[in-house]
Amino acid sequence: MALRVAELTFFDYFASRYNIPVPRHISGAAEINKIKRSLEEWGGEAIVKPDVMSGKRGKAGVIVTVKNLHDALKEIKRVSGVEVNGKMPRNAYLVEKIPAQQEIYTAITYNSTFLGPSFTVSLAGGVDIEEVEEDRKVTIPINIYDGLDAYQAGEAFASLGCPKNLISNLSRVMVFFWDLFISCGMESAEVNPWRITPEGKPYACDFKAVIDEFNYKARVPGVVFPEYPENISDFEEEMAEWSAASHQGQAHVSSLGGRKILPILFGGGVSTIISETLEATGGSPIFLSDFGGNPPYERMLGTARICFSHHLARARLLLILGGKANNTFIDVTFQAIADALVSYVEEKGPVNIPVVIGRGGPRLVKGLLAMKQALDYLKLPYVIFGPDTPVTMVAEYAAKLVNGISNLKEV
Amino acid sequence: MRAGNLADLLKKGDWVAVSNIAGREASHVSAVSQKYCGNISGGWALGKGGQKIETPKGEISVFATFEELLRLTPAEKLPNKILVYSPPEAVYGEVKEIVKYGEKIVETIFIVTEHVSVEVTAKIYQICRQANIDVIGCNTLGIINSHDQVRIGAVGGETPEESFKPGSVTVISNSGNMVNTISSYLLSAGMGTSFGLPTGKDKLILSPLKELLVLAEKDEKTKLIVLYVEPGGTYEHEALGIIREKNFSKPLVVYVAGEIAEKHNISLGHAGAVVEGSKSSAAAKKQAFDSYFGIEPFRVEKKYHRSPELTASLARGIRVQALHHITKAVTLIVSVLGMKKDFSSSKPLGLNPWFVNLGELGKHLPAELSPAPGIVPEPYSDQVKQQSKHLLTGMIRQSMRNASHASSNDGVTPRIYGYSLLEVMKEKSLAAALILYWTGELPRDSFEERLAEMTLIAALTNGPGTISAQGAKLSASAGNNPNTAMIATLATIGLTHGGNGAKAVKFLLESFADLDIKDPYQEYGELQKLAVKTADDFKKRKRAAKEAGIEYEHIPCLGHPVFRHEAVNYDPRERIIYSYIKESGRENIFLEFYHHLVLALKENGSTALVLAVNVDAVIASVWLGICWRQIMEKQMTMTRAVDIPFIAFALGRVAGGAAEFLDHQDFGTEMDMRIPVKECRTLTRPSKL
């Protein structure tokens, strides 16, 4: 799980705490006379940026240089309302424009090659690092216990031919960058670009980071990070809260925009495969789910209730599918789903969609019979498979069935 | 890695210690592992030292710390493999303790724990690398070595032998479930496994693929490797770089999942399955494998013609695009490369529905969408048969904390199964009310009602010498209150005294299970034949048991300690009920069967006399008759049908016990139930300390 950090959060909460120089900035919601005064202090020029939880703002055309108050106010209003990669901004803000003789890229991230943190640097700042040729960037491993030392950063800069007069300032600020990274439990942090003034002073001018929510350092005492409008449904939001309420069993969902199959799926890998198969065969799954990890009864009951309350009324087929579980008790999870289904019908009235089930694992037969009993009780049509039928075949069958029923209705 | 081949990660003879072994999952998994392979030498859990984990293969000792475990474990059982099941916040500390005390002993640590922070994961990697200890995880499920029949962790669930039969395929997977699932599919292609290894799919996988493939290449039993891969990290690119360089000698069959995440810009269930940078995407991984194999992904409809190019490509392997194509791709490789299948018999994968009820919908669907039920394979088929017996039509298990079918009270009217208690009081007898309360239905006629009443009266007493009457009298003699004396009565009935009726119902249910009998009060012509067969079967069992010198199971509810001296014996209480049935012009086939049976047993020489059909038998027969229709229509569980005669006897006898109490309280002398010392016999000689 990960918590993303937007640039304005970095400016307001992190930069000053870790001595990282950043440009002066002011909220777009500030009093007009304050914005005016800031513009004057900054030499009459500034950059308007949306406060949005998304990268690639430049490509979206929402980072704009302004040279007067009128344009500043106009752009603040405009960029505040422009979605970037499907995300709405909270607001917009003005940033001082830093004159630069050089732009630099740096990132600290955990690296699957080194199985530890690594430091990446390029003198080609301001562009997507993946577009930079291999010989123009360098990545070095960092000893997790020792951290990034100034001399290591210096060597990395020097290896790329960084002007010598910049290396000292840059290397020192990289130590602060490491301190920020490791002290806040980050998974990855990127400053792109650092703008280096003609005097050789670096400013972190764009920032993004991901904090590891499983790291206790992610919880900064006394600090509540601002909430960003998320492009997620009420269903995803409710499930995310439910998921966060306990570490027992998975309760992960992502909306896929489908309209036909309500999938209750088990296992991180299997659920991905099933969802891909459903999409490829026209099953139109409403969401991707992973409810494995041996959830106890109450956990599974709550999870199933949330799924049913949001989607059962409109779904055309209920699919309950997972591989051959190692750990998850099928009787416990299936009894909970069966009970949630019965409760739903008792509260909301009858449903009339087919149910396709496939599963394997500990206490399988008891679980399948519990589901069968509930479906007989509710008089729902069903087909139930065991672990000898591959999950992808069951998914293909479910997709064909839901489309077969649609064809019947059309006829 | 320290390991030189896969067997170094786990083989027969390795000993395992489990952290946090007293936890819900760890204790369960350890018990299953112990039953499967018995390789756990101990476990530890803070504050739980001294406890034992019960397993079918004996107890596992729980120590307070890892250090204590090492100190108190005999040298020959010191653990070289560690399974970490601790909560996320404790994992780092556990690993530090393992490294500190076990550096010279421990070879591999398997970390099952999910949600360990990436910082801690990186630290674990570093300290373990320095200590020359391999780490699998975090978020692995363990490992299984099929040839040695040993496992660590939960690979294979409760029945690892079901999916993991010794063979030539090693399955390496980012998903624990997929190791089990793929291995079970491979059996249908006639292939078993050598190893199953779920790496976990956290952000950092501490056993990278490039190293695992090297280990798999050195494993002689592994001829082919199946990989299940998810997005995230550059493990596959690095692995391919190395195996290209070294001319890797074993074919790979690869399934890459997760392109859906890129398409919808969503995160997947696995923490590490997050795309960062184009190389870590599923699309890039697919492309990298295809480029290495030099052949397009497997197509099920394609006819593959043998050629040197095909052989060369398949020697490197092939990627599949559907999970169930793995078996077909493996079959293709085995055939083209001239490898041997592990098993001669195999059954292709296909749709095999176990239960189908599409109702009306099924009638309108094309045949391919409305499949007929297939065959439930063993061992599930037996389980279905057994467990279906306990399921009821139209009923459902649910939380019963604040719910009851048996009674209700809306604040105005108390009810029994929906009938007003007040109306029942006005209109019905106690026996009718009890039938309603115990079965959910009123008696069908006065015949049933009267029979039930007679069983309750019959159960009241068989004189003061019965064990249950003695219970009440003892309690009275000790100066107890009536409720305690009634409890004493109940406490002194059991399966031998009073509860034999439960056994009788089981016996009758087994005897009549396969006969399609709708009405137990109608004559059934085959009773004598059934009785003779049952008697003959009993005789054979008895003889075989006697020859083997073991105890044999008696037919329940035959004979009585009092009524046993005539050539033909009767329990007079049974006679009354039997006569009532006959006088009513009816039949009770169960009681009738019992009478045929005692004659048949005498006839075939199993018994010297015609035994009495005792009161427990008649109580069982009467109540089974009352319950029969509901049992046949699956409206009543067998368990309930078995319990009801016992309850009927207990209810009658507890009323009888109350009567004994009242009598004893009024007329008994103080402590009169005490046996004088001189009447007590000593069976041991006095000894000196």
Side-chain angles (χ1 to χ4, degrees), chain B residues 55-127:
Chain B
T55 85
K57 288 258 182 87
E59 293 171 334
I60 301 174
S61 298
V62 182
F63 300 91
T65 61
F66 181 61
E67 184 275 329
E68 186 185 271
L69 181 148
L70 290 182
R71 194 158 31 84
L72 299 178
T73 301
E76 68 276 12
K77 287 178 84 171
L78 280 175
N80 56 342
K81 307 289 167 187
I82 308 293
L83 179 63
V84 173
Y85 254 110
S86 308
E89 61 277 11
V91 167
Y92 186 35
E94 299 283 23
V95 172
K96 283 194 286 187
E97 190 190 1
I98 294 162
V99 170
K100 182 175 175 185
Y101 295 104
E103 191 171 355
K104 292 190 178 130
I105 304 163
V106 174
E107 298 163 357
T108 323
I109 303 175
F110 296 81
I111 304 175
V112 172
T113 313
E114 282 184 81
H115 306 152
V116 177
S117 76
V118 62
E119 181 185 340
V120 162
T121 308
K123 286 179 169 171
I124 287 172
Y125 175 70
Q126 189 154 326
I127 58 172

Side-chain angles (χ1 to χ4, degrees), chain A residues 112-113 130 143 145 212 215 217 250 252 269 276 279 324 326-327 339 373 382 384 388-392 397, chain B residues 25 92 114 118-119 126 141 156-157 163 185 238 258-259 263-264 277-278 324 352 354-355 357 369 395:
Chain A
S112 57
T113 305
E130 291 210 65
N143 183 312
Y145 289 103
D212 180 1
N215 194 321
K217 297 173 187 170
Q250 308 282 349
H252 173 88
E276 286 179 344
E279 281 214 332
K324 192 170 183 184
N326 293 290
N327 232 3
D339 292 352
Q373 194 180 18
Y382 59 81
I384 300 176
D388 53 335
T389 302
V391 284
T392 36
Y397 168 74
Chain B
E25 212 163 288
Y92 186 35
E114 282 184 81
V118 62
E119 181 185 340
Q126 189 154 326
L141 210 59
S163 302
Y185 294 169
E238 286 169 25
E259 215 159 348
K263 185 177 157 196
H264 290 279
S278 56
H324 55 271
N352 179 34
W354 288 11
F355 309 108
N357 184 359
L369 295 181
M395 291 191 183

